[in-house]
Amino acid sequence: MSTSATLPSGSAPPERVTIPSTPAPKGPPVFEPLKGGELVLGTIALSLATFMNVLDTSIANVSIPAISGDMGVSPGQGTWVITSFAVANAISVPLTGWLTQRFGQVRLFTMSVLLFVLASWLCGLAPNIGTLIAFRVLQGLVAGPMIPLSQTLLLASYPKAKAGMAMAMWAMTVLVAPVAGPLLGGWITDNFSWPWIFYINIPVGLFAAGLTWSIYKKRDPGPRRVPLDVIGLVLLILFVGSMQIMIDMGKELDWFESGEIIALAVTAVVCFLFFLAWELTDKHPIVDLRLFGQRNFVTGTLSLSIAYGLFFGNVVLLPLWLQQHMGYTATWAGLATAPVGLLAIVLSPWVGKNVSRIDPRKLATVAFLGFGLVLWMRSNFNTQADFTTILIPTVLQGAAMAFFFIPLQAIVFSGLPPERMPSASGLSNFVRITAGAVGTSLFTTLWESRAALHHANLSEAINDGSATAVGTIAQLMASGMSREQALGSINRLINQQAFTMAVTDVFYLSAALFFVLVLLVWMAKPTLGEAADVGGAH
C-alpha cells in the first residue's frame, strides 16, 4: 500500500522503494559429492550395511534344521524364522520414502543399522521359537529402509559422471550376498552354533553405523513434519503381510488346496485393490504409486523384478538339487555356486563407467542374453555332471550379473528429481524383493511337481514285464539285498533321475523367459545422456 503527496516544482522525485516479495519455498538442500578418503570410507560403510542386510535374508536358510532341533520344534515351524523376516521386511521397504521425509536420510539409515544390530543380538539370545520369530519380525521391520537408502546415499556421494560406478559398488553387494549367505551360514552352523549367524552382524553393523554417521551427518537434510497416512499403512500391512505369508507357506500347504492359502489370497487381493484406490487419491500417500506413471520407472522396475525373480529362484534351486540329489555337502554346494561373484566383481566397474555412454537397454540385453545362455547350459545337466561341468555356467553367470543391475537401475531412475529418489528406490526394491520371494516359491513348487510327473513316467517302466527291471532286481538280490531293499535302491535312482530332469526343465523355462525379457527392456525410452542423472540424489 502506498501514499502519494504533492511535490514542490523542481524537486527530485523520491527513489522508488521496492518491497521484497515473499521468498519461494526452499527445495531440498544440494550437497557436493564426497572426495578422496571420505568417498572410499563412505562407500565401504554403505556397502557393508547392505551386504549384512541382504546376507541375512538367506543366511538362516541352511540353519533351519539346527535351529528347529535346538528349539524342539518341527522344521515346518522353523521356517517361520525365514517367513517372519521376509514379511516384516516387505512391509517396511516401501515405507522408506515417507520415513525419509519424517526423520531425514542419514538419521533413518544410521538408526536402522543400529536397531538391526540390536535385533540380531536379541535373535541370538532367543530362548524359544516364539521369541526368535518376534525378534526376526523386529529385524525385518528395521532392515527395510537400509537397502533403498544405501542406494540413494551412495548415489549422492559420487559426481553425476560417476553415478554408474556408485551403482556398480551397490549392485555387487546385492547380488553376491544371497549367494554367500548359505555358504557362510552352513559353515558357521557346522563349526560354531546357529546363534553366531546373528552375532556376526554386531561388529559389522556397529562399524558401518559409526562410519556412516561420522561421514554423512553433515549431509542430512533433516526431518520434516509429514502427515501419516494411517489407512494406507494398515492396508499395506494387510496386503503385503497376507501375500508374503501365502508365498512362503504355499508349497507346504499345497497352495489352493488349502483353505488358509485361499483366505490369504482373497485378503491380499481385496486389500491391494483398496490400497491402490486409496494411495492414488490421498493427498499425502504413504507410498508414492504415481511413480508408476513414469514409463521408464515401470519398464525398468518390471524388467529388473522379473529377472531378479528368475535369478533368485535359480540361486535357491541349484544348491538344493546338488545337496539333495547329487550327494554334495553344504560346503561343496556353496563352493559350486560361490564363484558367481568373480566376473561380476571384475566387470561391474567397467559397466558402471560406461553406463552413461552406452544405451542402458543394450547393456541390459547383454545381461538377459547371458543369463539365458547360462541357464540353457544348465538345462543340459544330467546325473553324471561333474564339479567342473556345474562350475563353468556359474562362473559365466558372473558376467551377466555385472550387466544386470546397473543399467536397469539407470533406466528406473532416469528423469526423476532428487526428492523422489528415496520413494523410487524403496518402491522398486520392494517389487524386486517380492519378485525374489515369488520366484523362489514358484520354482521350488514347479520343481517338485515336475519331479513327481517324471517319477511316475519312469516308474511305469519298472514292472515284472520289463526284462531290464527284472534283471536289475535279480542282480541286486544276488548281492545280498532283499526284494524290498532292491526296489528301494531302484526307487532312489528313479528319484535322482526325476529331480534332475525336473531341475533341467526349470532351467530351460528360465532361459526362455530371459530371452523374452529382452523385448520388455526395449519398451523403455532411450536414456543415453540421462543415465548419469541417476546420481541426481545429490
Side-chain angles (χ1 to χ4, degrees), residues 221-419:
R224 280 198 294 135
R225 287 195 69 80
V226 281
L228 175 62
D229 172 18
V230 178
I231 293 174
L233 178 61
V234 170
L235 289 170
L236 175 77
I237 291 168
L238 289 172
F239 135 60
V240 175
S242 303
M243 180 183 68
Q244 194 72 39
I245 294 169
M246 181 187 81
I247 290 164
D248 278 30
M249 306 304 291
K251 185 164 75 74
E252 192 182 316
L253 298 175
D254 199 18
W255 288 103
F256 294 102
E257 298 301 313
S258 158
E260 287 174 56
I261 294 296
I262 292 169
L264 286 166
V266 170
T267 305
V269 170
V270 171
C271 291
F272 171 69
L273 293 173
F274 276 109
F275 175 73
L276 205 61
W278 181 265
E279 292 299 287
L280 289 172
T281 53
D282 192 59
K283 194 184 286 185
H284 299 285
I286 200 148
V287 179
D288 186 6
L289 293 181
R290 291 180 184 88
L291 284 162
F292 284 114
Q294 305 267 344
R295 180 167 142 193
N296 276 16
F297 180 83
V298 72
T299 308
T301 300
L302 276 178
S303 302
L304 179 64
S305 302
I306 295 168
Y308 187 78
L310 292 172
F311 164 77
F312 201 69
N314 282 289
V315 161
V316 171
L317 211 54
L318 183 61
L320 273 179
W321 170 64
L322 291 173
Q323 286 179 74
Q324 292 177 14
H325 304 287
M326 294 292 283
Y328 280 59
T329 62
T331 305
W332 275 101
L335 290 171
T337 53
V340 76
L342 294 177
L343 282 176
I345 290 165
V346 172
L347 292 173
S348 286
W350 182 88
V351 178
K353 194 176 177 182
N354 289 283
V355 73
S356 56
R357 291 191 293 169
I358 301 171
D359 189 335
R361 296 174 301 175
K362 290 180 182 175
L363 296 172
T365 300
V366 172
F368 291 161
L369 293 177
F371 279 127
L373 174 65
V374 164
L375 287 157
W376 175 79
M377 289 169 74
R378 285 182 178 159
S379 72
N380 293 302
F381 284 172
N382 56 46
T383 53
Q384 303 303 311
D386 59 15
F387 185 76
T388 308
T389 307
I390 287 160
L391 199 62
I392 290 168
T394 301
V395 173
L396 292 176
Q397 186 171 297
M401 283 165 61
F403 287 84
F404 173 45
F405 247 106
I406 305 160
L408 287 170
Q409 292 284 2
I411 292 169
V412 167
F413 292 133
S414 59
L416 291 177
E419 63 272 14

Side-chain angles (χ1 to χ4, degrees), residues 479-538:
S479 69
M481 287 187 184
S482 66
R483 183 176 173 81
E484 286 71 28
Q485 286 172 324
L487 288 171
S489 183
I490 290 170
N491 188 56
R492 280 192 293 278
L493 286 171
I494 291 173
N495 246 343
Q496 185 191 28
Q497 290 291 346
F499 276 94
T500 301
M501 290 166 75
V503 85
T504 57
D505 289 346
V506 175
F507 291 150
Y508 191 82
L509 173 66
S510 303
L513 289 172
F514 266 116
F515 292 137
V516 172
L517 273 178
V518 172
L519 301 175
L520 179 60
V521 82
W522 281 93
M523 291 173 72
K525 289 189 292 186
T527 61
L528 202 55
E530 245 184 89
D533 285 342
V534 296
H538 56 269

Side-chain angles (χ1 to χ4, degrees), residues 27-337:
V30 177
F31 298 105
E32 288 298 312
L34 294 175
K35 293 183 178 70
E38 271 199 337
L39 180 59
V40 173
L41 290 172
T43 303
I44 290 170
L46 295 170
S47 299
L48 273 176
T50 306
F51 189 82
M52 174 181 74
N53 182 316
V54 179
L55 191 75
D56 239 60
T57 59
S58 62
I59 197 169
N61 293 19
V62 290
S63 306
I64 292 301
I67 293 171
S68 305
D70 239 19
M71 299 281 189
V73 296
S74 70
Q77 288 172 289
T79 56
W80 276 97
V81 172
I82 299 166
T83 305
S84 54
F85 179 90
V87 171
N89 193 240
I91 289 166
S92 62
V93 168
L95 298 177
T96 303
W98 183 85
L99 289 168
T100 300
Q101 292 181 67
R102 185 67 190 82
F103 297 103
Q105 277 186 29
V106 183
R107 281 183 184 83
L108 177 60
F109 182 81
T110 310
M111 195 162 56
S112 294
V113 175
L114 290 173
L115 287 171
F116 188 85
V117 167
L118 175 65
S120 299
W121 178 62
L122 292 171
C123 285
L125 293 176
N128 53 55
I129 194 72
T131 316
L132 177 57
I133 289 168
F135 291 145
R136 281 287 277 175
V137 168
L138 173 64
Q139 194 183 34
L141 285 172
V142 300
M146 284 168 64
I147 292 178
L149 285 181
S150 68
Q151 196 174 29
T152 51
L153 286 170
L154 202 58
L155 284 169
S157 306
Y158 282 73
K160 282 190 180 184
K162 291 188 177 175
M165 281 296 287
M167 285 313 308
M169 306 292 174
W170 187 86
M172 279 191 284
T173 56
V174 171
L175 286 170
V176 174
V179 181
L183 181 62
L184 187 60
W187 182 79
I188 289 170
T189 306
D190 289 345
N191 293 282
F192 299 95
S193 58
W194 67 261
W196 282 97
I197 66 174
F198 299 114
Y199 292 151
I200 58 164
N201 291 334
I202 296 171
V204 176
L206 290 175
F207 176 74
L211 201 53
T212 303
W213 183 249
S214 66
I215 293 169
Y216 289 94
K217 64 182 174 187
K218 56 185 180 292
R219 300 167 64 84
D220 198 347
R224 280 198 294 135
R225 287 195 69 80
V226 281
L228 175 62
D229 172 18
V230 178
I231 293 174
L233 178 61
V234 170
L235 289 170
L236 175 77
I237 291 168
L238 289 172
F239 135 60
V240 175
S242 303
M243 180 183 68
Q244 194 72 39
I245 294 169
M246 181 187 81
I247 290 164
D248 278 30
M249 306 304 291
K251 185 164 75 74
E252 192 182 316
L253 298 175
D254 199 18
W255 288 103
F256 294 102
E257 298 301 313
S258 158
E260 287 174 56
I261 294 296
I262 292 169
L264 286 166
V266 170
T267 305
V269 170
V270 171
C271 291
F272 171 69
L273 293 173
F274 276 109
F275 175 73
L276 205 61
W278 181 265
E279 292 299 287
L280 289 172
T281 53
D282 192 59
K283 194 184 286 185
H284 299 285
I286 200 148
V287 179
D288 186 6
L289 293 181
R290 291 180 184 88
L291 284 162
F292 284 114
Q294 305 267 344
R295 180 167 142 193
N296 276 16
F297 180 83
V298 72
T299 308
T301 300
L302 276 178
S303 302
L304 179 64
S305 302
I306 295 168
Y308 187 78
L310 292 172
F311 164 77
F312 201 69
N314 282 289
V315 161
V316 171
L317 211 54
L318 183 61
L320 273 179
W321 170 64
L322 291 173
Q323 286 179 74
Q324 292 177 14
H325 304 287
M326 294 292 283
Y328 280 59
T329 62
T331 305
W332 275 101
L335 290 171
T337 53

